[in-house]
Amino acid sequence: HDREEILAVATALRAIEHLGDALSVYGALRGPFFALSDEQLVLHRARFGNLHPLAPYEEAIYEGAEGEVARALYVLRELSLGRNRRPIADTLARFLDATRAHAGVANWPNGEQALANVLRVLDLARGYEAEGATSFRGFVEHLDERLASGDGIDAPAVEAHAAGVRLMTVHKAKGLEFPVVVLCDPTLSRTVRRPSRYIDSARGLWAAPLAGCAPVDLTAHEAQVIAADEAEEVRLSYVAATRARELLVVPCVGDAAQDGWVDPLHAALYPADDARRDAEPSPGCPPFGDDSVLERPPRAEGDASGSVRPGRHRAGELDVTWWDPSALELGRQPAGGLRRTGLLASGEGAGQARIEAHHRWVEERAACLEAGAEVSWRARSVTAVAQEAERAPAAPRIESTDAERQTRPGGKRFGTLVHAVLAECPLDADADAVAAMARHQGRLLDAPDDEIAAATDAAARAFAHPLMDAARAAEETRRECPITVPLEDGSSAEGVVDLAFRAGGRWTIVDFKTDRERGPGAVPYATQLAIYARAIAAATGDATETVLFYV
């Protein structure tokens, strides 16, 4: 709950819900998703007088680098205006897409875990709605309550494999594994002095102490409850010790075992009394001294005769390395913050080198952005190129089915539906298969029944045409084939060929059309087919023929 990405998501959602909350809006703009600098925000406010997402701006304000703040405010405004008319998770997903958060968060330190936590908030939003709540404000308040209460929302499946240090209780560690586990607070007493609770499920009874007083049912079963509590403490110690895959670190006192919750592990850690000084060098460790205790009380100072000597010991069936605490850099101050490295630390030496490195990075980034802003290659769709053509190349061959076109549905969706059926059905599909595919594609496009019926008829007649007989008998057939071809002006055209088949060393290129009017081929259609033919001829070296097929 205290992770930067979780707090940033909560701040952004708060800003979307409360556009008038200047602090939340500032936090969202300044946070890691928009990552706007204070300089940008101050200049924008000085120019327009506020940072309110509902402030009106001229269209030109959104262009260029100076429009970054305005564009960010526009994102918050649009998400806020539609937040109660769409699913909560959809609003959050739109925010993440608009800020390209998936790529950005993944590049953070420990980015895999950070991204999983952001997606975990999406899951919380879906779960919140699944329970019947649909208010965006309600979810924002629900998330704030979880953050305030410390109720963690990390994604545990990734947490177990993520880099970094994670602090958690033994109870929260159940089911997880880590390469290295360090057990803390060894002096926490394991001895249970008072019974915790007595449960009698048959009577529906839960008896627990309250205000220092214990109910009769609890005191009557005191010995039984204490025994159960002690057994549970042993189980917890076992759970803690088995979370480590490669290395388990247990704090112990080399002079004598101390009373604490790790007591059950002592039998596996302490060597026999007569072997405490028989230590061997431990592979991979620095040279150790003779004492595993760093400091002793004055009355026992310097007495290491009964202490476990640092090094490798055989304790039962385990090889245990007792560390020399004097070999550790104890009291060392951390070099950076919790999740960020101090790149701009002031001072001479390494700090100054970091500052100079940062300045170089800023200059290189600016040069990279400037170079990236220059168009090095321009790609356009074949349709767009064909629309710009002023004169038609050689006219294609015209083929047509006998379908009734004047009374059937038309429009872009109908054309897309017919193309999808012709692309997905096998060339030898029967009438039932064509009808089934039309129903399926129609549901995907939300097409009405009359369009589905007309598309079924159009596709069935197309498959029965002699042109499709030639395609079925061809040596090679391609459908929905993507092409890219360079043009004379230095750009490239990209498109998808509806159908192409090769027979007798010649490719026939077919473009399906659902227009009501059939003609010799308009300029855009002929140009489109000519570009397809050019691409296929260049790729294969074969002759080509173009066909405009009205279905």
Side-chain angles (χ1 to χ4, degrees), residues 397 467 471 474-479 481 497 499-510 529 532-547:
R397 190 177 101 209
L467 181 64
E475 304 163 4
E476 183 178 352
T477 303
R478 300 287 184 93
R479 293 194 290 173
C481 179
V497 179
L499 172 66
F501 58 89
R502 181 177 180 272
R506 184 183 188 87
W507 282 93
T508 300
I509 303 160
V510 182
L529 276 165
Y532 291 157
R534 176 179 172 181
I536 292 177
T540 63
D542 295 331
T544 60
E545 177 190 12
T546 57
V547 179

Side-chain angles (χ1 to χ4, degrees), residues 114-167:
L115 182 58
N117 290 340
V118 171
L119 299 180
R120 171 66 175 149
V121 181
L122 271 173
D123 293 337
L124 291 178
R126 296 187 186 99
Y128 183 79
E129 286 190 298
E131 294 175 357
T134 57
S135 166
F136 187 84
R137 176 173 296 187
F139 176 70
V140 172
E141 294 175 351
H142 171 69
L143 185 61
D144 285 341
E145 289 173 0
R146 293 195 64 162
L147 295 179
S149 65
D151 187 8
I153 57 178
D154 290 347
V158 179
E159 188 71 53
H161 305 284
V165 177
R166 186 78 172 106
L167 301 179

